[in-house]
Amino acid sequence: MPRADFASLPHDARVWVFAADAPVRDEKAARLLAEVDRFLDGWAAHGQPLTCARDWRDDRFLAIAVDQRDAHASGCSIDGLFRILKALEGQIGASLLGGGRVLYRDGAGAVRTVSRDEFSTLATQGAVSGTTRVFDATVATAGAWRERFEVPAAESWHAALL
């Protein structure tokens, strides 16, 4: 199947979320998305084309989804996606594959990146709270990406850091 529009994928489509540790804008975002699109256009698992899509938000968040009704992404096919993203990191000036980060909106609405420890310190200082909007990159379906990706910290695993 060709690459689909993200909105057309069912709620239970499997999703992987990649969060850049710095904003990716303009020509760097265009390069990233063009390479991702090129990969998705040929993405297959065990020779079976995957019905897939991508979404891009806030100059930081890339969601890749696969409709698994026809074919499931295999370990090897997922590894291929990760290799492409890792190779692009140097070109876009941001890491997409790092863990241990918390991404949240500050009071002005800008997306910020801090470590989990730094987020806890910000909570102790009163700079973030249960109402602070956070991004949950652990969402696993397209429906969760659409409905629960950005939520108040009190409604996410982030609450344990407050």
Side-chain angles (χ1 to χ4, degrees):
M1 293 300 265
R3 183 169 34 97
D5 179 67
F6 198 95
S8 72
L9 294 180
H11 271 24
D12 65 348
R14 174 71 172 97
V15 75
W16 294 265
V17 177
F18 303 94
D21 63 350
V24 180
R25 297 186 180 104
D26 305 321
E27 59 278 342
K28 290 181 179 183
R31 179 180 303 134
L32 168 67
L33 298 176
E35 289 298 320
V36 167
D37 288 349
R38 191 173 357 270
F39 176 82
L40 295 180
D41 286 341
W43 202 15
H46 304 293
Q48 181 76 24
L50 298 173
T51 301
C52 56
R54 60 111 173 132
D55 197 10
W56 177 245
R57 290 188 190 172
D58 293 302
D59 297 326
R60 296 274 192 137
F61 305 106
L62 175 65
I64 306 289
V66 173
D67 180 353
Q68 300 194 106
R69 291 179 293 186
D70 296 325
H72 291 265
S74 66
C76 292
S77 66
I78 296 165
D79 288 347
L81 171 63
F82 276 73
R83 278 192 301 276
I84 290 293
L85 294 177
K86 184 67 177 167
L88 287 167
E89 287 181 335
Q91 297 175 38
I92 64 171
S95 172
L96 293 164
L97 302 177
R101 299 185 297 236
V102 173
L103 287 95
Y104 70 97
R105 284 200 194 276
D106 67 15
V111 177
R112 302 288 179 203
T113 306
V114 295
S115 70
R116 291 176 184 209
D117 288 342
E118 289 169 319
F119 191 77
S120 291
T121 299
L122 290 170
T124 301
Q125 297 169 347
V128 298
S129 69
T131 61
T132 299
R133 305 291 292 183
V134 295
F135 301 93
D136 185 358
T138 68
V139 297
T141 66
W145 166 257
R146 293 174 185 124
E147 298 166 3
R148 297 187 295 106
F149 175 63
E150 183 179 350
V151 295
E155 297 175 20
S156 176
W157 64 266
H158 300 82
L161 302 175
L162 298 174

